[in-house]
Amino acid sequence: MTNVTEHVRCLIIGSGPAGYTAAIYAGRSNLSPVLYEGLQPGGQLTTTTEIENFPGYPDGVSGNDMMEDLRKQAIKFGADVRRGVATFVELSTAPYAITIDGEKTLTCDTLIIATGATAQYLGLPDEIKYAGMGVSACATCDGFFYRKKKVAVVGGGDTACEEASYLAGLASQVYLIVRKPFLRASKIMQERILNTPNITVLFEHETTGLFGENGVEGAHLVKRRGKPDETKVDIAIDGFFLAIGHKPNTDIFANYLELDETGYIKTIPGTPRTNIPGVFAAGDVADPSYRQAITAAGSGCAAAIEAERYLVANKL
Ligand code: NDP
């Protein structure tokens, strides 16, 4: 590897709750961690309005404020937090080499990958127009704001069904917008959805736009698009939830790390260890199932502890 400019003991990629928590723990263990913030400093939580389910904040906290606090806490304990995106990695032999912004290359003894996952959106301009004003990709995060209101969930997989089921406990009415004539979700989830009185499944419906003055007030749908009986349908809703899948940010690691069929990094169950010694994965990048700030932070902590143990065991 050419152009190696620096060697660090602990390199962290990603700046959501997993990356920052790893940096706090690694900093307090004197590992002098270097953290690169990635494309979206602060991660997915910077796009949520209020976080009410992180323990310790009885009055809630904004995603931006929490990430700023975590960043400050990491710096306070000696983490070197830098702007930059990891664009290339070489993990075949230790020390591992990471190229930042296609320009400079660092080597590291331990690597903590906390690059997160990106929620998929339909790609409608209205999703951007109403971002934070009724459009969300996380029912557990934002569902509470729709108590006794009407919401729609897009998707027909397990995530969509779980989100619809969760929202049905809060909202007065939940529409599940499914593009096919059937659900892809597991049978048990399908049954739960079909047996919940305030969930209406709109099979063979696609969303073409959203409307509303100061936030989402409804969605434009089309039923059986392209068929002879194609129909336009409008529904009145206050919240529009996307649940059409997440894409873990793992492309640059695919040549080295074991990934599952969706692209999530596989870790040894109950640990943040990957198939490469000294390389750990924390947060949503290795978690298709919980995807919460608190679980991400917990796994970031575990990754830093593992990195410390690895360095000691290998006298690095
Ligand atoms: P999936 O890929 O399983 O489902 C995505 C859903 O979104 C599908 O119904 C798909 O439709 C729909 N979709 C995708 N793109 C669009 C689009 N552009 N417009 C409209 N609809 C669209 O993703 P999930 O996040 O639901 O699940 C991911 C994995 O995690 C799965 O293996 C799932 O089983 C698992 N999981 C398990 C849980 C559990 O066991 N408790 C909970 C949550 C997830 P279509 O069917 O037409 O392709």
PDB file of all heavy atoms in Angstrom, residues 120-122 154-162 177-180 182-186 189 205-206 243-246 261-262 264 288-289 291, ligand 1:
ATOM      1  N   GLN A 120     -34.201   3.059   2.828  1.00  0.00           N
ATOM      2  CA  GLN A 120     -34.566   3.243   1.422  1.00  0.00           C
ATOM      3  C   GLN A 120     -35.822   4.118   1.348  1.00  0.00           C
ATOM      4  O   GLN A 120     -36.755   3.951   2.136  1.00  0.00           O
ATOM      5  CB  GLN A 120     -34.880   1.892   0.770  1.00  0.00           C
ATOM      6  CG  GLN A 120     -33.781   0.865   0.932  1.00  0.00           C
ATOM      7  CD  GLN A 120     -32.671   1.025  -0.096  1.00  0.00           C
ATOM      8  OE1 GLN A 120     -32.013   2.050  -0.198  1.00  0.00           O
ATOM      9  NE2 GLN A 120     -32.442   0.002  -0.868  1.00  0.00           N
ATOM     10  N   TYR A 121     -35.824   4.998   0.390  1.00  0.00           N
ATOM     11  CA  TYR A 121     -37.003   5.838   0.127  1.00  0.00           C
ATOM     12  C   TYR A 121     -37.515   5.523  -1.272  1.00  0.00           C
ATOM     13  O   TYR A 121     -36.826   4.902  -2.079  1.00  0.00           O
ATOM     14  CB  TYR A 121     -36.627   7.319   0.254  1.00  0.00           C
ATOM     15  CG  TYR A 121     -36.474   7.765   1.695  1.00  0.00           C
ATOM     16  CD1 TYR A 121     -35.319   7.467   2.417  1.00  0.00           C
ATOM     17  CD2 TYR A 121     -37.487   8.444   2.351  1.00  0.00           C
ATOM     18  CE1 TYR A 121     -35.173   7.843   3.743  1.00  0.00           C
ATOM     19  CE2 TYR A 121     -37.363   8.830   3.673  1.00  0.00           C
ATOM     20  CZ  TYR A 121     -36.207   8.530   4.367  1.00  0.00           C
ATOM     21  OH  TYR A 121     -36.083   8.898   5.676  1.00  0.00           O
ATOM     22  N   LEU A 122     -38.734   5.963  -1.558  1.00  0.00           N
ATOM     23  CA  LEU A 122     -39.319   5.679  -2.873  1.00  0.00           C
ATOM     24  C   LEU A 122     -38.663   6.513  -3.968  1.00  0.00           C
ATOM     25  O   LEU A 122     -38.696   6.145  -5.142  1.00  0.00           O
ATOM     26  CB  LEU A 122     -40.830   5.973  -2.853  1.00  0.00           C
ATOM     27  CG  LEU A 122     -41.657   5.097  -1.909  1.00  0.00           C
ATOM     28  CD1 LEU A 122     -43.079   5.645  -1.783  1.00  0.00           C
ATOM     29  CD2 LEU A 122     -41.692   3.659  -2.421  1.00  0.00           C
ATOM     30  N   VAL A 154     -45.466   2.161   4.097  1.00  0.00           N
ATOM     31  CA  VAL A 154     -45.233   1.592   2.765  1.00  0.00           C
ATOM     32  C   VAL A 154     -44.333   0.366   2.898  1.00  0.00           C
ATOM     33  O   VAL A 154     -43.277   0.440   3.541  1.00  0.00           O
ATOM     34  CB  VAL A 154     -44.531   2.606   1.831  1.00  0.00           C
ATOM     35  CG1 VAL A 154     -44.436   2.030   0.418  1.00  0.00           C
ATOM     36  CG2 VAL A 154     -45.259   3.920   1.825  1.00  0.00           C
ATOM     37  N   GLY A 155     -44.735  -0.743   2.257  1.00  0.00           N
ATOM     38  CA  GLY A 155     -43.910  -1.954   2.280  1.00  0.00           C
ATOM     39  C   GLY A 155     -44.737  -3.163   2.634  1.00  0.00           C
ATOM     40  O   GLY A 155     -45.811  -3.036   3.251  1.00  0.00           O
ATOM     41  N   GLY A 156     -44.241  -4.327   2.264  1.00  0.00           N
ATOM     42  CA  GLY A 156     -44.986  -5.541   2.544  1.00  0.00           C
ATOM     43  C   GLY A 156     -44.133  -6.612   3.206  1.00  0.00           C
ATOM     44  O   GLY A 156     -44.515  -7.775   3.285  1.00  0.00           O
ATOM     45  N   GLY A 157     -42.954  -6.203   3.708  1.00  0.00           N
ATOM     46  CA  GLY A 157     -42.058  -7.158   4.369  1.00  0.00           C
ATOM     47  C   GLY A 157     -42.270  -7.175   5.877  1.00  0.00           C
ATOM     48  O   GLY A 157     -43.212  -6.555   6.394  1.00  0.00           O
ATOM     49  N   ASP A 158     -41.383  -7.866   6.579  1.00  0.00           N
ATOM     50  CA  ASP A 158     -41.517  -7.969   8.041  1.00  0.00           C
ATOM     51  C   ASP A 158     -41.382  -6.614   8.719  1.00  0.00           C
ATOM     52  O   ASP A 158     -42.076  -6.334   9.702  1.00  0.00           O
ATOM     53  CB  ASP A 158     -40.453  -8.928   8.601  1.00  0.00           C
ATOM     54  CG  ASP A 158     -40.857 -10.375   8.428  1.00  0.00           C
ATOM     55  OD1 ASP A 158     -42.030 -10.688   8.679  1.00  0.00           O
ATOM     56  OD2 ASP A 158     -40.010 -11.185   8.027  1.00  0.00           O
ATOM     57  N   THR A 159     -40.482  -5.775   8.201  1.00  0.00           N
ATOM     58  CA  THR A 159     -40.314  -4.461   8.825  1.00  0.00           C
ATOM     59  C   THR A 159     -41.607  -3.668   8.710  1.00  0.00           C
ATOM     60  O   THR A 159     -42.090  -3.093   9.693  1.00  0.00           O
ATOM     61  CB  THR A 159     -39.167  -3.685   8.163  1.00  0.00           C
ATOM     62  OG1 THR A 159     -37.968  -4.446   8.299  1.00  0.00           O
ATOM     63  CG2 THR A 159     -38.967  -2.323   8.802  1.00  0.00           C
ATOM     64  N   ALA A 160     -42.192  -3.630   7.518  1.00  0.00           N
ATOM     65  CA  ALA A 160     -43.422  -2.860   7.313  1.00  0.00           C
ATOM     66  C   ALA A 160     -44.526  -3.377   8.230  1.00  0.00           C
ATOM     67  O   ALA A 160     -45.268  -2.595   8.839  1.00  0.00           O
ATOM     68  CB  ALA A 160     -43.846  -2.944   5.850  1.00  0.00           C
ATOM     69  N   CYS A 161     -44.641  -4.693   8.340  1.00  0.00           N
ATOM     70  CA  CYS A 161     -45.693  -5.264   9.194  1.00  0.00           C
ATOM     71  C   CYS A 161     -45.443  -4.953  10.668  1.00  0.00           C
ATOM     72  O   CYS A 161     -46.367  -4.635  11.412  1.00  0.00           O
ATOM     73  CB  CYS A 161     -45.796  -6.771   8.967  1.00  0.00           C
ATOM     74  SG  CYS A 161     -46.457  -7.140   7.336  1.00  0.00           S
ATOM     75  N   GLU A 162     -44.168  -5.028  11.083  1.00  0.00           N
ATOM     76  CA  GLU A 162     -43.853  -4.695  12.475  1.00  0.00           C
ATOM     77  C   GLU A 162     -44.170  -3.232  12.758  1.00  0.00           C
ATOM     78  O   GLU A 162     -44.719  -2.887  13.800  1.00  0.00           O
ATOM     79  CB  GLU A 162     -42.370  -4.940  12.752  1.00  0.00           C
ATOM     80  CG  GLU A 162     -42.120  -6.299  13.332  1.00  0.00           C
ATOM     81  CD  GLU A 162     -40.720  -6.473  13.899  1.00  0.00           C
ATOM     82  OE1 GLU A 162     -39.908  -5.535  13.867  1.00  0.00           O
ATOM     83  OE2 GLU A 162     -40.440  -7.590  14.364  1.00  0.00           O
ATOM     84  N   ILE A 177     -49.507   0.222   2.671  1.00  0.00           N
ATOM     85  CA  ILE A 177     -49.523   0.372   1.211  1.00  0.00           C
ATOM     86  C   ILE A 177     -48.554  -0.655   0.609  1.00  0.00           C
ATOM     87  O   ILE A 177     -47.342  -0.578   0.818  1.00  0.00           O
ATOM     88  CB  ILE A 177     -49.112   1.802   0.804  1.00  0.00           C
ATOM     89  CG1 ILE A 177     -50.019   2.832   1.491  1.00  0.00           C
ATOM     90  CG2 ILE A 177     -49.145   1.970  -0.706  1.00  0.00           C
ATOM     91  CD1 ILE A 177     -49.558   4.285   1.339  1.00  0.00           C
ATOM     92  N   VAL A 178     -49.113  -1.629  -0.101  1.00  0.00           N
ATOM     93  CA  VAL A 178     -48.335  -2.770  -0.600  1.00  0.00           C
ATOM     94  C   VAL A 178     -48.435  -2.798  -2.128  1.00  0.00           C
ATOM     95  O   VAL A 178     -49.546  -2.781  -2.669  1.00  0.00           O
ATOM     96  CB  VAL A 178     -48.895  -4.098  -0.016  1.00  0.00           C
ATOM     97  CG1 VAL A 178     -48.050  -5.285  -0.450  1.00  0.00           C
ATOM     98  CG2 VAL A 178     -48.968  -4.029   1.494  1.00  0.00           C
ATOM     99  N   ARG A 179     -47.312  -2.846  -2.801  1.00  0.00           N
ATOM    100  CA  ARG A 179     -47.388  -2.741  -4.270  1.00  0.00           C
ATOM    101  C   ARG A 179     -47.845  -4.037  -4.946  1.00  0.00           C
ATOM    102  O   ARG A 179     -48.377  -4.013  -6.040  1.00  0.00           O
ATOM    103  CB  ARG A 179     -46.044  -2.274  -4.846  1.00  0.00           C
ATOM    104  CG  ARG A 179     -44.898  -3.232  -4.655  1.00  0.00           C
ATOM    105  CD  ARG A 179     -43.618  -2.660  -5.231  1.00  0.00           C
ATOM    106  NE  ARG A 179     -42.483  -3.517  -4.915  1.00  0.00           N
ATOM    107  CZ  ARG A 179     -41.232  -3.250  -5.257  1.00  0.00           C
ATOM    108  NH1 ARG A 179     -40.948  -2.156  -5.916  1.00  0.00           N
ATOM    109  NH2 ARG A 179     -40.258  -4.085  -4.933  1.00  0.00           N
ATOM    110  N   LYS A 180     -47.628  -5.181  -4.271  1.00  0.00           N
ATOM    111  CA  LYS A 180     -48.032  -6.461  -4.862  1.00  0.00           C
ATOM    112  C   LYS A 180     -49.394  -6.893  -4.308  1.00  0.00           C
ATOM    113  O   LYS A 180     -49.892  -6.305  -3.353  1.00  0.00           O
ATOM    114  CB  LYS A 180     -46.987  -7.527  -4.516  1.00  0.00           C
ATOM    115  CG  LYS A 180     -45.664  -7.285  -5.252  1.00  0.00           C
ATOM    116  CD  LYS A 180     -44.870  -8.557  -5.384  1.00  0.00           C
ATOM    117  CE  LYS A 180     -43.626  -8.318  -6.228  1.00  0.00           C
ATOM    118  NZ  LYS A 180     -42.402  -8.718  -5.560  1.00  0.00           N
ATOM    119  N   PHE A 182     -49.888  -9.377  -2.555  1.00  0.00           N
ATOM    120  CA  PHE A 182     -49.649 -10.203  -1.360  1.00  0.00           C
ATOM    121  C   PHE A 182     -48.531  -9.579  -0.527  1.00  0.00           C
ATOM    122  O   PHE A 182     -47.781  -8.730  -1.012  1.00  0.00           O
ATOM    123  CB  PHE A 182     -49.255 -11.636  -1.762  1.00  0.00           C
ATOM    124  CG  PHE A 182     -48.075 -11.673  -2.692  1.00  0.00           C
ATOM    125  CD1 PHE A 182     -46.776 -11.667  -2.207  1.00  0.00           C
ATOM    126  CD2 PHE A 182     -48.267 -11.692  -4.078  1.00  0.00           C
ATOM    127  CE1 PHE A 182     -45.686 -11.686  -3.073  1.00  0.00           C
ATOM    128  CE2 PHE A 182     -47.177 -11.706  -4.949  1.00  0.00           C
ATOM    129  CZ  PHE A 182     -45.889 -11.703  -4.445  1.00  0.00           C
ATOM    130  N   LEU A 183     -48.467 -10.030   0.736  1.00  0.00           N
ATOM    131  CA  LEU A 183     -47.403  -9.569   1.637  1.00  0.00           C
ATOM    132  C   LEU A 183     -46.219 -10.511   1.547  1.00  0.00           C
ATOM    133  O   LEU A 183     -46.396 -11.717   1.405  1.00  0.00           O
ATOM    134  CB  LEU A 183     -47.914  -9.543   3.077  1.00  0.00           C
ATOM    135  CG  LEU A 183     -48.998  -8.520   3.416  1.00  0.00           C
ATOM    136  CD1 LEU A 183     -49.609  -8.816   4.777  1.00  0.00           C
ATOM    137  CD2 LEU A 183     -48.409  -7.117   3.408  1.00  0.00           C
ATOM    138  N   ARG A 184     -45.031  -9.938   1.647  1.00  0.00           N
ATOM    139  CA  ARG A 184     -43.827 -10.769   1.644  1.00  0.00           C
ATOM    140  C   ARG A 184     -43.472 -11.236   3.070  1.00  0.00           C
ATOM    141  O   ARG A 184     -42.680 -12.160   3.256  1.00  0.00           O
ATOM    142  CB  ARG A 184     -42.666  -9.919   1.095  1.00  0.00           C
ATOM    143  CG  ARG A 184     -41.391 -10.697   0.895  1.00  0.00           C
ATOM    144  CD  ARG A 184     -40.227  -9.752   0.826  1.00  0.00           C
ATOM    145  NE  ARG A 184     -40.182  -9.059  -0.466  1.00  0.00           N
ATOM    146  CZ  ARG A 184     -39.062  -8.656  -1.017  1.00  0.00           C
ATOM    147  NH1 ARG A 184     -37.916  -8.859  -0.405  1.00  0.00           N
ATOM    148  NH2 ARG A 184     -39.066  -8.032  -2.164  1.00  0.00           N
ATOM    149  N   ALA A 185     -44.074 -10.596   4.049  1.00  0.00           N
ATOM    150  CA  ALA A 185     -43.719 -10.864   5.450  1.00  0.00           C
ATOM    151  C   ALA A 185     -44.026 -12.306   5.856  1.00  0.00           C
ATOM    152  O   ALA A 185     -44.790 -13.011   5.179  1.00  0.00           O
ATOM    153  CB  ALA A 185     -44.503  -9.910   6.343  1.00  0.00           C
ATOM    154  N   SER A 186     -43.444 -12.728   6.985  1.00  0.00           N
ATOM    155  CA  SER A 186     -43.685 -14.076   7.506  1.00  0.00           C
ATOM    156  C   SER A 186     -45.174 -14.259   7.814  1.00  0.00           C
ATOM    157  O   SER A 186     -45.889 -13.289   8.085  1.00  0.00           O
ATOM    158  CB  SER A 186     -42.863 -14.282   8.778  1.00  0.00           C
ATOM    159  OG  SER A 186     -43.119 -13.226   9.671  1.00  0.00           O
ATOM    160  N   MET A 189     -46.627 -12.656  10.946  1.00  0.00           N
ATOM    161  CA  MET A 189     -46.795 -11.201  10.854  1.00  0.00           C
ATOM    162  C   MET A 189     -47.993 -10.862   9.975  1.00  0.00           C
ATOM    163  O   MET A 189     -48.754  -9.941  10.275  1.00  0.00           O
ATOM    164  CB  MET A 189     -45.529 -10.549  10.284  1.00  0.00           C
ATOM    165  CG  MET A 189     -44.385 -10.394  11.247  1.00  0.00           C
ATOM    166  SD  MET A 189     -44.840  -9.646  12.827  1.00  0.00           S
ATOM    167  CE  MET A 189     -45.277  -7.992  12.347  1.00  0.00           C
ATOM    168  N   HIS A 205     -51.298  -1.092  -4.436  1.00  0.00           N
ATOM    169  CA  HIS A 205     -51.339   0.370  -4.442  1.00  0.00           C
ATOM    170  C   HIS A 205     -49.902   0.905  -4.463  1.00  0.00           C
ATOM    171  O   HIS A 205     -49.020   0.351  -3.797  1.00  0.00           O
ATOM    172  CB  HIS A 205     -52.026   0.913  -3.190  1.00  0.00           C
ATOM    173  CG  HIS A 205     -53.525   0.857  -3.239  1.00  0.00           C
ATOM    174  ND1 HIS A 205     -54.220  -0.330  -3.203  1.00  0.00           N
ATOM    175  CD2 HIS A 205     -54.459   1.847  -3.332  1.00  0.00           C
ATOM    176  CE1 HIS A 205     -55.520  -0.067  -3.258  1.00  0.00           C
ATOM    177  NE2 HIS A 205     -55.693   1.240  -3.343  1.00  0.00           N
ATOM    178  N   GLU A 206     -49.675   1.969  -5.185  1.00  0.00           N
ATOM    179  CA  GLU A 206     -48.377   2.640  -5.180  1.00  0.00           C
ATOM    180  C   GLU A 206     -48.582   4.112  -4.876  1.00  0.00           C
ATOM    181  O   GLU A 206     -49.601   4.689  -5.253  1.00  0.00           O
ATOM    182  CB  GLU A 206     -47.694   2.480  -6.541  1.00  0.00           C
ATOM    183  CG  GLU A 206     -47.231   1.051  -6.782  1.00  0.00           C
ATOM    184  CD  GLU A 206     -46.657   0.857  -8.170  1.00  0.00           C
ATOM    185  OE1 GLU A 206     -45.872   1.717  -8.627  1.00  0.00           O
ATOM    186  OE2 GLU A 206     -47.019  -0.146  -8.801  1.00  0.00           O
ATOM    187  N   ALA A 243     -41.032   1.736   4.928  1.00  0.00           N
ATOM    188  CA  ALA A 243     -40.482   0.507   5.507  1.00  0.00           C
ATOM    189  C   ALA A 243     -40.186  -0.454   4.361  1.00  0.00           C
ATOM    190  O   ALA A 243     -40.651  -1.591   4.335  1.00  0.00           O
ATOM    191  CB  ALA A 243     -41.467  -0.092   6.511  1.00  0.00           C
ATOM    192  N   ILE A 244     -39.421   0.061   3.403  1.00  0.00           N
ATOM    193  CA  ILE A 244     -39.149  -0.755   2.209  1.00  0.00           C
ATOM    194  C   ILE A 244     -37.702  -1.263   2.211  1.00  0.00           C
ATOM    195  O   ILE A 244     -37.171  -1.628   1.169  1.00  0.00           O
ATOM    196  CB  ILE A 244     -39.464   0.021   0.910  1.00  0.00           C
ATOM    197  CG1 ILE A 244     -38.645   1.310   0.820  1.00  0.00           C
ATOM    198  CG2 ILE A 244     -40.952   0.330   0.822  1.00  0.00           C
ATOM    199  CD1 ILE A 244     -38.771   2.004  -0.534  1.00  0.00           C
ATOM    200  N   GLY A 245     -37.124  -1.303   3.384  1.00  0.00           N
ATOM    201  CA  GLY A 245     -35.794  -1.885   3.507  1.00  0.00           C
ATOM    202  C   GLY A 245     -34.711  -0.858   3.810  1.00  0.00           C
ATOM    203  O   GLY A 245     -34.912   0.341   3.645  1.00  0.00           O
ATOM    204  N   HIS A 246     -33.607  -1.356   4.326  1.00  0.00           N
ATOM    205  CA  HIS A 246     -32.423  -0.539   4.596  1.00  0.00           C
ATOM    206  C   HIS A 246     -31.268  -1.103   3.807  1.00  0.00           C
ATOM    207  O   HIS A 246     -31.198  -2.307   3.575  1.00  0.00           O
ATOM    208  CB  HIS A 246     -32.059  -0.582   6.089  1.00  0.00           C
ATOM    209  CG  HIS A 246     -32.929   0.271   6.936  1.00  0.00           C
ATOM    210  ND1 HIS A 246     -34.227  -0.071   7.223  1.00  0.00           N
ATOM    211  CD2 HIS A 246     -32.698   1.456   7.543  1.00  0.00           C
ATOM    212  CE1 HIS A 246     -34.762   0.879   7.989  1.00  0.00           C
ATOM    213  NE2 HIS A 246     -33.858   1.811   8.195  1.00  0.00           N
ATOM    214  N   GLU A 261     -27.127 -11.972   3.320  1.00  0.00           N
ATOM    215  CA  GLU A 261     -27.648 -11.823   1.950  1.00  0.00           C
ATOM    216  C   GLU A 261     -28.100 -10.398   1.637  1.00  0.00           C
ATOM    217  O   GLU A 261     -28.129  -9.989   0.477  1.00  0.00           O
ATOM    218  CB  GLU A 261     -28.770 -12.847   1.664  1.00  0.00           C
ATOM    219  CG  GLU A 261     -30.001 -12.788   2.530  1.00  0.00           C
ATOM    220  CD  GLU A 261     -29.801 -13.374   3.937  1.00  0.00           C
ATOM    221  OE1 GLU A 261     -28.750 -13.996   4.242  1.00  0.00           O
ATOM    222  OE2 GLU A 261     -30.718 -13.167   4.752  1.00  0.00           O
ATOM    223  N   THR A 262     -28.395  -9.601   2.682  1.00  0.00           N
ATOM    224  CA  THR A 262     -28.794  -8.200   2.442  1.00  0.00           C
ATOM    225  C   THR A 262     -27.588  -7.269   2.462  1.00  0.00           C
ATOM    226  O   THR A 262     -27.712  -6.091   2.134  1.00  0.00           O
ATOM    227  CB  THR A 262     -29.798  -7.737   3.536  1.00  0.00           C
ATOM    228  OG1 THR A 262     -30.666  -8.823   3.847  1.00  0.00           O
ATOM    229  CG2 THR A 262     -30.623  -6.564   3.092  1.00  0.00           C
ATOM    230  N   TYR A 264     -25.530  -6.919   5.365  1.00  0.00           N
ATOM    231  CA  TYR A 264     -25.118  -6.590   6.734  1.00  0.00           C
ATOM    232  C   TYR A 264     -23.872  -7.397   7.099  1.00  0.00           C
ATOM    233  O   TYR A 264     -23.741  -8.567   6.707  1.00  0.00           O
ATOM    234  CB  TYR A 264     -26.235  -6.917   7.739  1.00  0.00           C
ATOM    235  CG  TYR A 264     -27.397  -5.961   7.674  1.00  0.00           C
ATOM    236  CD1 TYR A 264     -28.492  -6.222   6.854  1.00  0.00           C
ATOM    237  CD2 TYR A 264     -27.398  -4.783   8.421  1.00  0.00           C
ATOM    238  CE1 TYR A 264     -29.556  -5.330   6.790  1.00  0.00           C
ATOM    239  CE2 TYR A 264     -28.459  -3.896   8.351  1.00  0.00           C
ATOM    240  CZ  TYR A 264     -29.530  -4.172   7.538  1.00  0.00           C
ATOM    241  OH  TYR A 264     -30.574  -3.292   7.460  1.00  0.00           O
ATOM    242  N   PRO A 288     -29.602  -5.933  11.353  1.00  0.00           N
ATOM    243  CA  PRO A 288     -30.815  -5.775  10.549  1.00  0.00           C
ATOM    244  C   PRO A 288     -32.081  -5.767  11.402  1.00  0.00           C
ATOM    245  O   PRO A 288     -33.169  -5.509  10.909  1.00  0.00           O
ATOM    246  CB  PRO A 288     -30.802  -7.016   9.641  1.00  0.00           C
ATOM    247  CG  PRO A 288     -29.950  -8.010  10.341  1.00  0.00           C
ATOM    248  CD  PRO A 288     -29.025  -7.277  11.275  1.00  0.00           C
ATOM    249  N   SER A 289     -31.946  -6.006  12.687  1.00  0.00           N
ATOM    250  CA  SER A 289     -33.113  -6.346  13.452  1.00  0.00           C
ATOM    251  C   SER A 289     -33.589  -5.265  14.442  1.00  0.00           C
ATOM    252  O   SER A 289     -34.778  -4.985  14.524  1.00  0.00           O
ATOM    253  CB  SER A 289     -32.788  -7.684  14.092  1.00  0.00           C
ATOM    254  OG  SER A 289     -33.453  -7.896  15.192  1.00  0.00           O
ATOM    255  N   ARG A 291     -31.818  -1.854  15.223  1.00  0.00           N
ATOM    256  CA  ARG A 291     -31.606  -0.543  14.598  1.00  0.00           C
ATOM    257  C   ARG A 291     -32.003   0.636  15.486  1.00  0.00           C
ATOM    258  O   ARG A 291     -32.611   1.590  15.028  1.00  0.00           O
ATOM    259  CB  ARG A 291     -32.389  -0.470  13.275  1.00  0.00           C
ATOM    260  CG  ARG A 291     -31.921  -1.435  12.225  1.00  0.00           C
ATOM    261  CD  ARG A 291     -32.429  -1.074  10.864  1.00  0.00           C
ATOM    262  NE  ARG A 291     -33.848  -1.216  10.733  1.00  0.00           N
ATOM    263  CZ  ARG A 291     -34.457  -2.215  10.094  1.00  0.00           C
ATOM    264  NH1 ARG A 291     -33.739  -3.146   9.490  1.00  0.00           N
ATOM    265  NH2 ARG A 291     -35.750  -2.260  10.011  1.00  0.00           N
TER     266      ARG A 291
HETATM  267  P1  NDP B   1     -37.813  -6.719   2.715  1.00  0.00           P
HETATM  268  O1  NDP B   1     -36.822  -6.592   1.615  1.00  0.00           O
HETATM  269  O2  NDP B   1     -38.141  -8.056   3.264  1.00  0.00           O
HETATM  270  O3  NDP B   1     -39.213  -6.088   2.247  1.00  0.00           O
HETATM  271  C1  NDP B   1     -39.250  -4.862   1.591  1.00  0.00           C
HETATM  272  C2  NDP B   1     -40.687  -4.576   1.243  1.00  0.00           C
HETATM  273  O4  NDP B   1     -40.734  -3.288   0.660  1.00  0.00           O
HETATM  274  C3  NDP B   1     -41.258  -5.555   0.225  1.00  0.00           C
HETATM  275  O5  NDP B   1     -42.607  -5.804   0.491  1.00  0.00           O
HETATM  276  C4  NDP B   1     -41.111  -4.796  -1.081  1.00  0.00           C
HETATM  277  O6  NDP B   1     -42.087  -5.099  -2.025  1.00  0.00           O
HETATM  278  C5  NDP B   1     -41.330  -3.377  -0.624  1.00  0.00           C
HETATM  279  N1  NDP B   1     -40.693  -2.432  -1.510  1.00  0.00           N
HETATM  280  C6  NDP B   1     -39.393  -2.356  -1.873  1.00  0.00           C
HETATM  281  N2  NDP B   1     -39.198  -1.340  -2.715  1.00  0.00           N
HETATM  282  C7  NDP B   1     -40.411  -0.753  -2.880  1.00  0.00           C
HETATM  283  C8  NDP B   1     -40.871   0.343  -3.651  1.00  0.00           C
HETATM  284  N3  NDP B   1     -40.043   1.075  -4.385  1.00  0.00           N
HETATM  285  N4  NDP B   1     -42.196   0.648  -3.592  1.00  0.00           N
HETATM  286  C9  NDP B   1     -43.045  -0.053  -2.839  1.00  0.00           C
HETATM  287  N5  NDP B   1     -42.677  -1.119  -2.086  1.00  0.00           N
HETATM  288  C10 NDP B   1     -41.365  -1.453  -2.124  1.00  0.00           C
HETATM  289  O7  NDP B   1     -37.272  -5.691   3.826  1.00  0.00           O
HETATM  290  P2  NDP B   1     -37.577  -5.636   5.390  1.00  0.00           P
HETATM  291  O8  NDP B   1     -36.892  -4.417   5.881  1.00  0.00           O
HETATM  292  O9  NDP B   1     -39.013  -5.793   5.649  1.00  0.00           O
HETATM  293  O10 NDP B   1     -36.836  -6.905   5.970  1.00  0.00           O
HETATM  294  C11 NDP B   1     -35.433  -7.112   5.762  1.00  0.00           C
HETATM  295  C12 NDP B   1     -35.042  -8.453   6.364  1.00  0.00           C
HETATM  296  O11 NDP B   1     -35.124  -8.381   7.791  1.00  0.00           O
HETATM  297  C13 NDP B   1     -35.988  -9.578   5.921  1.00  0.00           C
HETATM  298  O12 NDP B   1     -35.254 -10.755   5.800  1.00  0.00           O
HETATM  299  C14 NDP B   1     -36.959  -9.677   7.082  1.00  0.00           C
HETATM  300  O13 NDP B   1     -37.547 -10.955   7.194  1.00  0.00           O
HETATM  301  C15 NDP B   1     -36.041  -9.350   8.263  1.00  0.00           C
HETATM  302  N6  NDP B   1     -36.807  -8.809   9.377  1.00  0.00           N
HETATM  303  C16 NDP B   1     -37.181  -9.665  10.367  1.00  0.00           C
HETATM  304  C17 NDP B   1     -37.907  -9.219  11.427  1.00  0.00           C
HETATM  305  C18 NDP B   1     -38.279 -10.180  12.477  1.00  0.00           C
HETATM  306  O14 NDP B   1     -38.038 -11.355  12.301  1.00  0.00           O
HETATM  307  N7  NDP B   1     -38.860  -9.748  13.563  1.00  0.00           N
HETATM  308  C19 NDP B   1     -38.322  -7.809  11.555  1.00  0.00           C
HETATM  309  C20 NDP B   1     -37.905  -7.003  10.452  1.00  0.00           C
HETATM  310  C21 NDP B   1     -37.182  -7.499   9.405  1.00  0.00           C
HETATM  311  P3  NDP B   1     -42.072  -6.458  -2.869  1.00  0.00           P
HETATM  312  O15 NDP B   1     -42.505  -7.537  -1.946  1.00  0.00           O
HETATM  313  O16 NDP B   1     -43.052  -6.146  -3.938  1.00  0.00           O
HETATM  314  O17 NDP B   1     -40.673  -6.603  -3.388  1.00  0.00           O
END
